[in-house]
């Protein structure tokens, strides 16, 4: 696969995982999962992701942990949380940004956005090593 193809695929995977994060969060709190409700929960993080994807040049090196994966993860969380506070989402008893949500969002989005990149790199590396072994065997 070309870097360009990986760039598009990475974008789709990231967006799906961010929407999954919103879905899991809404479901764990017994909230409705209508399209509008899902959008309301997901869009702050999708906006953060879009900013991160563009500013980090993620389309050009989508599988790199540093800086791509880390920048995408950190900005997705930071901008997402900032938008949630600015729009009054997630206010719990007057606290606009409960620390428990900050921790959960940071960990889950980190596992999602960095985790799939790690798995992809491992698989690509294993396939590459297998091909190299096959090429060496064929030469003998």
């Amino acid at each position: 696969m070309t870097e360009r193809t990986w760039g598009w695929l990475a974008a789709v995977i990231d967006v799906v995982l961010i929407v999954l994060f919103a879905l899991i969060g809404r479901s764990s709190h017994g909230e409705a999962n209508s399209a509008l409700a899902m959008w309301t929960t997901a869009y702050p993080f999708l906006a953060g992701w879009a900013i991160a994807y563009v500013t980090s040049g993620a389309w050009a090196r989508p599988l790199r942990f540093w800086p791509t994966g880390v920048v995408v993860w950190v900005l997705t969380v930071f901008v997402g949380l900032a938008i949630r506070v600015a729009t009054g989402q997630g206010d719990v008893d007057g606290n606009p940004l409960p620390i428990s949500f900050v921790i959960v969002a940071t960990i889950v989005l980190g596992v999602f956005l960095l985790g799939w990149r790690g798995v992809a790199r491992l698989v690509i590396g294993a396939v590459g090593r297998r091909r190299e072994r096959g090429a060496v065997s064929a030469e003998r």
Side-chain angles (χ1 to χ4, degrees):
M1 269 186 8
T2 67
E3 285 295 317
R4 183 174 181 177
T5 304
W6 271 114
W8 282 106
L9 182 59
V12 169
I13 292 169
D14 284 350
V15 168
V16 167
L17 290 172
I18 292 167
V19 171
L20 180 62
F21 164 72
L23 177 66
I24 291 168
R26 294 191 64 78
S27 295
S28 71
H29 292 286
E31 297 174 337
N33 286 322
S34 68
L36 180 60
M38 284 298 301
W39 172 252
T40 301
T41 301
Y43 90 82
F45 297 100
L46 291 170
W49 170 85
I51 291 167
Y53 208 75
V54 170
T55 60
S56 71
W59 66 90
R61 48 186 187 279
L63 298 181
R64 292 189 57 191
F65 268 37
W66 178 258
T68 305
V70 173
V71 170
V72 167
W73 167 44
V74 170
L75 282 178
T76 297
V77 172
F78 181 79
V79 173
L81 293 175
I83 291 172
R84 283 179 55 90
V85 169
T87 59
Q89 290 187 46
D91 189 285
V92 177
D93 299 325
N95 182 356
L97 194 58
I99 191 67
S100 59
F101 181 70
V102 172
I103 291 168
V104 168
T106 302
I107 291 171
V108 172
L109 287 169
V111 168
F112 280 6
L113 298 175
L114 294 174
W116 81 259
R117 284 174 169 85
V119 170
R121 288 176 65 97
L122 286 173
V123 169
I124 290 168
V127 168
R129 286 188 296 280
R130 182 173 288 167
R131 283 185 183 154
E132 287 174 9
R133 277 187 253 136
V136 169
S137 296
E139 290 175 3
R140 290 183 184 167

